[in-house]
Each structure stands twice: as structure tokens, then as C-alpha cells.
């Protein structure tokens, strides 16, 4: 096979190359998840309040029955549901802490859920801006966790708007792993 003996690999080099080739699939599966924070999911300089100017409640506040209150809430909901995302986050393998809001739970466990940055988000209204809601789709259903339990999720982050009854998510994640939150 090797015509030129000077270019023939040594036995040691051949064994090392063979070992490296056999470990390549294992290395590919050992994904490194980058720990991210919720603030990294909000574009720098995004200020949703600037779009609410002119719709203030005034100094006396608004009653729930005041038509201006509904107008203000509708405008807020529109701004938050269309909150911008951070393009650089698309496709990264991430690790993110948050609170669990199950959407689809069956006998085998939770398969689809929202992850939110603070306790009570999406259960109380209004939900947070869409760039602060992540829709998780678990590869395998998981059990042993309750609504609003603090968790870590690991998986591939994607930019995708995903409406649900609880709020509009600006990000989705193919979740590879879920675990209870523990301080480092």
C-alpha cells in the first residue's frame, strides 16, 4: 500500500489514528452546554416602554373598567408578544435555569413546557415578554417535577415564536436534559 517506506506511518502513529477515529463518535455526543442567562436573550438597548408613550395612566391610575386600561394592556401585550430575540443565540447548545410551567403532561411525564425567568410568570397575567419565555420540547418525557419548580434545562436553543395559552415564547429548545436547580 505504501510505496515510499519513508512516508509509511509508524505503528504508534497508526494505533493513535485508529484510537482517535474510534473515539470520534463519543466526542461528538459529549456536547458542551454553554450556561446562559435570561438577560443574554434580550437584545441590548431594547426598551419596550418607549412604545407605550402616550398611553400613560395619568397620575390617578386607571380602573379595570376604563377603556384606556384595556387599550394599554392590549398595546403592552402586542409589544411583549413580538419582543425581539438575539440572533446569536440561534443554534447554540445552552444550559439555562428557570421555572417550569408544564404544557403537555401525560402518564409518562412532561414532554412540553414553558421555562420562565421568575416565579409566577405565565401563571399570572400578563406573562413576560416573548424573549423571556422559552418553549421546551423534551426528547424524553420527564417526571418528578412540579409546576413552578426551579430547574436547569440543557439543549439546542432555536429562535422560533411559539404561542401557547400561557404566553408567546420567543425561543424554543430541543431539551436533552432537565434537572432540579441547585446552586453551584
Amino acid at each position: 500500500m505504501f510505496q515510499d517506506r519513508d512516508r509509511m506511518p509508524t505503528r504508534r502513529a497508526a494505533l493513535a489514528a485508529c484510537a482517535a477515529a474510534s473515539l470520534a463518535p463519543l466526542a461528538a455526543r459529549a456536547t458542551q452546554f454553554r450556561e446562559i442567562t435570561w438577560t443574554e436573550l434580550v437584545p441590548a438597548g431594547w426598551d419596550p416602554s418607549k412604545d407605550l408613550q402616550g398611553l400613560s395612566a395619568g397620575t390617578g391610575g386607571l380602573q379595570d373598567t376604563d377603556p384606556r386600561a384595556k387599550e394599554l394592556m392590549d398595546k403592552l401585550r402586542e409589544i411583549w408578544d413580538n419582543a425581539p430575540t438575539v440572533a446569536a443565540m440561534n443554534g447554540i447548545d445552552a444550559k439555562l435555569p428557570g421555572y417550569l410551567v408544564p404544557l403537555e403532561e401525560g402518564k409518562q411525564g412532561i414532554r412540553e413546557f414553558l421555562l420562565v425567568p421568575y416565579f409566577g410568570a405565565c401563571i399570572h397575567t400578563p406573562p413576560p415578554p416573548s424573549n423571556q419565555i422559552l418553549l421546551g420540547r423534551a426528547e424524553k418525557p420527564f417526571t418528578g417535577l412540579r409546576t413552578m419548580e426551579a430547574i436547569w434545562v440543557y439543549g439546542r436553543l432555536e429562535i422560533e415564536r411559539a404561542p401557547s395559552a400561557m404566553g408567546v415564547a420567543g425561543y424554543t429548545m430541543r431539551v436533552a436534559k432537565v434537572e432540579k436547580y441547585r446552586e453551584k
Side-chain angles (χ1 to χ4, degrees):
M1 179 172 159
F2 290 96
Q3 301 299 326
D4 183 356
R5 284 185 103 17
D6 293 332
R7 295 173 65 198
M8 189 162 80
T10 64
R11 179 179 165 106
R12 177 177 283 160
L15 288 173
C18 187
S22 67
L23 292 176
L26 180 63
R29 286 193 307 258
T31 302
Q32 294 295 316
F33 294 98
R34 181 178 132 204
E35 185 174 327
I36 62 172
T37 65
W38 287 96
T39 55
E40 290 177 82
L41 299 177
V42 179
W46 181 62
D47 180 10
S49 65
K50 73 177 174 24
D51 295 325
L52 293 175
Q53 292 174 1
L55 292 174
S56 70
T59 57
L62 295 176
Q63 298 296 318
D64 288 346
T65 56
D66 189 321
R68 293 176 299 161
K70 181 174 178 0
E71 179 185 0
L72 187 61
M73 283 304 293
D74 289 348
K75 183 66 176 172
L76 177 67
R77 190 73 266 137
E78 179 186 338
I79 293 166
W80 283 12
D81 286 352
N82 295 295
T85 54
V86 177
M89 291 293 162
N90 195 46
I92 69 166
D93 291 324
K95 171 186 176 183
L96 180 67
Y99 292 91
L100 174 68
V101 180
L103 294 177
E104 182 184 303
E105 188 171 5
K107 290 179 185 178
Q108 295 181 341
I110 299 168
R111 183 174 292 282
E112 194 169 85
F113 60 94
L114 297 180
L115 187 71
V116 294
Y118 56 87
F119 188 86
C122 289
I123 291 178
H124 303 292
T125 58
S130 59
N131 57 20
Q132 294 293 281
I133 302 175
L134 180 142
L135 173 67
R137 294 180 180 116
E139 291 177 5
K140 296 177 187 171
F142 58 91
T143 59
L145 297 170
R146 300 179 322 271
T147 298
M148 282 291 130
E149 187 152 4
I151 61 173
W152 284 102
V153 295
Y154 301 74
R156 174 71 44 95
L157 192 64
E158 304 288 339
I159 294 175
E160 176 188 345
R161 275 214 201 274
S164 74
M166 302 292 215
V168 177
Y171 296 93
T172 62
M173 180 182 277
R174 288 179 290 161
V175 178
K177 180 179 170 184
V178 175
E179 64 184 16
K180 287 185 179 185
Y181 180 84
R182 286 179 179 70
E183 296 266 349
K184 294 178 190 174

